Amino acid sequence: MVPWVPAKAKVQLRLGVQRLRTLQEKKSAQAKAARRDIAFLLEKGKLETARIKVENIIHEDIYVELLELLELYCELLISRFGLLDQNTREPDAGVSEGVCAIIHAAPRTELKELQVLRDMLMHKYGREFAIAVMENRDGCVSERVTRKLAVFTPGPSLVDAYLAEIAKGYGVDWSPPEYPNHDTDDAGGDGGVKAAIVDGKEVPESPKPVDSVTISAEARSAGVRTPKLPELPPTEEEDIPREKEKVVKEPPKPVKEEDDFETLAKRFEALKKR
């Protein structure tokens, strides 16, 4: 491991900036030639070969963006070299992002100058700090850098977008295919809206309202404590049968009329008691 020497570290930073710029120009020239080849493939109708080459161009573009970031960090460390040269076991907050980015991303580049600078920074701040940065503990490395280092396969939409721009730039008559939109599929999928046929036309049915009892029960089953929800007002369809319902009242019982004989008998009994 190369020991930390301030004068040598500053020279390595300046050399790193120059080499990063040179490599970016080289990659840009190679990408331009590759785009010309892809336009020729599109013109000949060799779409699959063009797609494979475009994936390589996408990765190269991301790599060039990584080089631009590292160049920016090197220039930052040069301008704040006084903070970098402090005798501390951890970098100052003003240069910490640049130090972590170089230690973490330098092995993924092809620049010897950055490798030497990385060894010097690891020697200065110690083994534990270097391991933490390489493992990106607590997210110490900037997300902009980690995104550029991520390995992934470009999606069809991104590949088609690159192909469309290349075709447009070189005057090739080609347009990307249209992919079916699965979001509008109403064939009974989850979350889809069912359609009813009325007069030979499909009319989407409005979803039934969910009452507060159902919502509260689902929330309790999921372990969520929710306040009691108010009941939803009835819909017009629910009001119609209620209006048609008639309250059936029992007819009043007829008062039993007493005949004249019973009336006279009661009056006679009352007179006898007197």
Side-chain angles (χ1 to χ4, degrees), residues 240-259:
I240 293 175
R242 292 183 180 179
E243 293 177 358
K244 292 183 178 180
E245 291 181 357
K246 295 182 179 180
V247 180
V248 180
K249 297 183 179 180
E250 295 183 0
K253 295 182 180 180
V255 180
K256 187 177 181 181
E257 298 181 357
E258 298 178 350
D259 53 5

Side-chain angles (χ1 to χ4, degrees), residues 166-197:
I166 293 172
K168 182 179 178 181
Y170 287 90
V172 179
D173 186 12
W174 184 87
S175 58
E178 295 182 359
Y179 295 97
N181 189 3
H182 298 286
D183 296 338
T184 58
D185 187 10
D186 57 355
D190 294 338
V193 179
K194 296 181 180 179
I197 299 177

Side-chain angles (χ1 to χ4, degrees), residues 55-70:
E55 290 186 7
N56 186 44
I57 287 182
I58 293 173
H59 290 303
E60 289 296 323
D61 286 350
I62 295 174
Y63 180 65
V64 171
E65 292 176 359
L66 174 64
L67 298 179
E68 292 176 355
L69 280 175
L70 292 177

Side-chain angles (χ1 to χ4, degrees), residues 37-51 163 172-174:
D37 295 340
I38 291 172
F40 179 76
L41 292 173
L42 287 176
E43 190 176 6
K44 295 297 182 181
K46 298 181 179 180
L47 183 58
E48 293 302 322
T49 307
R51 287 181 181 276
L163 288 174
V172 179
D173 186 12
W174 184 87

